[in-house]
Amino acid sequence: MTLSDVPAAVRKKTVGTAGEWRAAGITPAQFRSLTRAGDLVRVRHGVYATRSAVESAAADPRQRHALRVAAARAAVGRQAIASHQSAAVLHGIDLLRDPGGDAVWLTRPPGQRCGRQLEGIHLYSARLPESHVTALSGVRVTTATRTVVDLARSLPFMEGVVAVDSALRLGKTTDFGMAGILRACAKWPGADRARRVAGFSSEDAGSVLESCARVVFAEAGLPAPVLQAAIATANAEFIGRVDFCWPAYQVIAEADGMAKYDNPRRAREQILRDTRLRDAGYKVVHFTWSELFDTRERVISRIRAAFAARSSY
C-alpha cells in the first residue's frame, strides 16, 4: 500500500500525529503499512510526515526548518505559532548564533497547559494579534517585525542588533513598524532593551560582522561612525564605500570576512583600494571576525591609534 491508495483528502495532508493521520481517514492497519513502506516518516516522537515532504525539504534549509516547526506544532497544539529564532530562520533574518540542530521556537496563547516538556521545543506564552502573524513555507509564523522585536526583547543586546539590522537591511521591517509593536508591548519583559536595540540598529550595517562591530565600538566608547560612507579623492574621483568612517579623524575601519583572504583577486583589489584611500588622506584599519571577538581590545587600540595619528597627514 502507498499514499496513492488512500482518499484524496488524506493525500493533501503532509504532517501530523499518528492520531491525526487516523482521524483523517487512515486505518491503523494502513498506518502501519505506510510507515513500514517509508511513505510516512517519523519526524519526531509521535509525529509523521509524508516521504515527499521530507524529501522536498532535504535540499532547502528553510523548508527543513518549516517541517520541524510543523512537526512541533502537531506535538504541542495547532494554535502554536513559529516565533523568535524559528521565525527568523523562516524569514531569512540573520542570527548571531545559528540555531542548529532540531530546536524549534513557538509561541502559543496564554492559559494553555504546558504538560511535559518536549525535547527541542522552546515554548513562549503570549497573545498574538492576527496582524502579528503571517504564513511562510506552509506554517503560521510571526511577522518579520514582531519576530525581531521578540528577539530584541529576549536576546542579549548584540544578538538583538544583529537580527534587527538584518531585517532593516533586507527591507523586512521598518523603524515605523517596530515602533508600533513596541508601543503594543510597552510593559512586556525586555521591552526597554528592545527599544534600545531598535534605536541603535541601522539598515546600513552590511553584515553580521559589521553589526557586531558597531556594538563593540559603542561599548568601547568610540564615537559613532558613518556607515557605508562614500569616499572620493580630492578631485572627486569615487574610490568606494567603506564599512565604517570617522570623517573628523579621517579614519576608516573595514570588517573583513575570510572570503576576502581566500580569494587572491579580491585580496589584490583590497590592497589597491587601501592604497587609494591612504593617498586620499585616510588611515585604514582592518579587522576580522576572530580579532573582533578574541582580541577586541587590540582592534579598539588600533582605531584609537589611528585617531591620534590624524595630525600626521
Side-chain angles (χ1 to χ4, degrees):
M1 178 182 181
T2 68
L3 280 173
S4 62
D5 300 315
V6 302
V10 178
R11 293 199 299 271
K12 292 179 181 179
K13 193 174 180 63
T14 56
V15 181
T17 64
E20 287 174 333
W21 281 107
R22 290 166 185 156
I26 294 178
T27 68
Q30 289 172 329
F31 180 81
R32 290 192 295 271
S33 175
L34 290 168
T35 54
R36 281 197 301 268
D39 287 305
L40 287 180
V41 180
R42 187 166 86 84
V43 288
R44 65 175 301 120
H45 180 71
V47 181
Y48 296 79
T50 61
R51 188 207 314 248
S52 61
V54 173
E55 289 176 348
S56 66
D60 184 340
R62 286 196 209 177
Q63 197 61 40
R64 282 201 305 274
H65 197 78
L67 184 62
R68 293 190 198 110
V69 168
R73 292 182 67 228
V76 305
R78 298 294 183 178
Q79 287 185 299
I81 306 295
S83 64
H84 297 77
Q85 283 90 331
S86 282
V89 171
L90 296 177
H91 282 288
I93 294 169
D94 289 330
L95 295 169
L96 178 56
R97 301 179 193 278
D98 183 355
D102 296 329
V104 168
W105 287 258
L106 302 174
T107 294
R108 60 183 182 177
Q112 292 195 353
R113 296 180 60 185
C114 291
R116 64 186 179 86
Q117 186 70 32
L118 296 178
E119 183 179 359
I121 300 178
H122 302 269
L123 276 175
Y124 292 86
S125 178
R127 300 189 188 283
L128 286 172
E130 279 301 309
S131 60
H132 293 191
V133 179
T134 187
L136 290 172
S137 300
V139 297
R140 280 167 60 77
V141 56
T142 51
T143 61
T145 301
R146 173 62 189 257
T147 297
V148 293
V149 169
D150 282 343
L151 291 171
R153 290 192 304 114
S154 60
L155 294 177
F157 183 79
M158 180 183 286
E159 295 186 43
V161 169
V162 166
V164 176
D165 278 0
S166 173
L168 288 169
R169 180 170 64 248
L170 295 170
K172 292 179 178 292
T173 192
T174 62
D175 292 331
F176 179 79
M178 286 190 293
I181 290 187
L182 284 166
R183 284 194 298 273
C185 68
K187 296 183 179 180
W188 294 356
D192 287 343
R193 179 168 58 219
R195 279 189 285 271
R196 285 180 54 231
V197 169
F200 183 84
S201 295
S202 171
E203 64 182 1
D204 291 328
S207 67
V208 171
L209 179 55
E210 290 177 37
S211 296
C212 295
R214 294 176 56 237
V215 176
V216 169
F217 296 163
E219 290 176 345
L222 295 181
V226 177
L227 308 181
Q228 305 303 319
I231 307 298
T233 67
N235 297 323
E237 181 184 351
F238 180 68
I239 299 174
R241 291 190 177 275
V242 298
D243 298 335
F244 307 100
C245 181
W246 290 267
Y249 300 96
Q250 284 192 275
V251 169
I252 288 166
E254 295 276 60
D256 293 343
M258 291 312 297
K260 186 179 294 184
Y261 297 100
D262 293 338
N263 186 320
R265 181 181 62 80
R266 288 187 63 189
R268 287 194 298 272
E269 289 174 351
Q270 182 65 61
I271 291 171
L272 291 173
R273 192 173 91 137
D274 280 2
T275 298
R276 296 186 70 201
L277 291 170
R278 291 184 174 111
D279 287 346
Y282 289 89
K283 191 83 168 178
V284 183
V285 177
H286 286 267
F287 60 90
T288 63
W289 183 280
S290 61
E291 287 176 317
L292 185 71
F293 284 96
D294 298 338
T295 58
R296 65 176 62 190
E297 296 82 6
R298 293 183 190 174
V299 174
I300 298 301
S301 293
R302 295 208 306 266
I303 294 172
R304 290 192 188 282
F307 287 172
R310 169 65 183 88
S311 59
S312 66
Y313 290 105

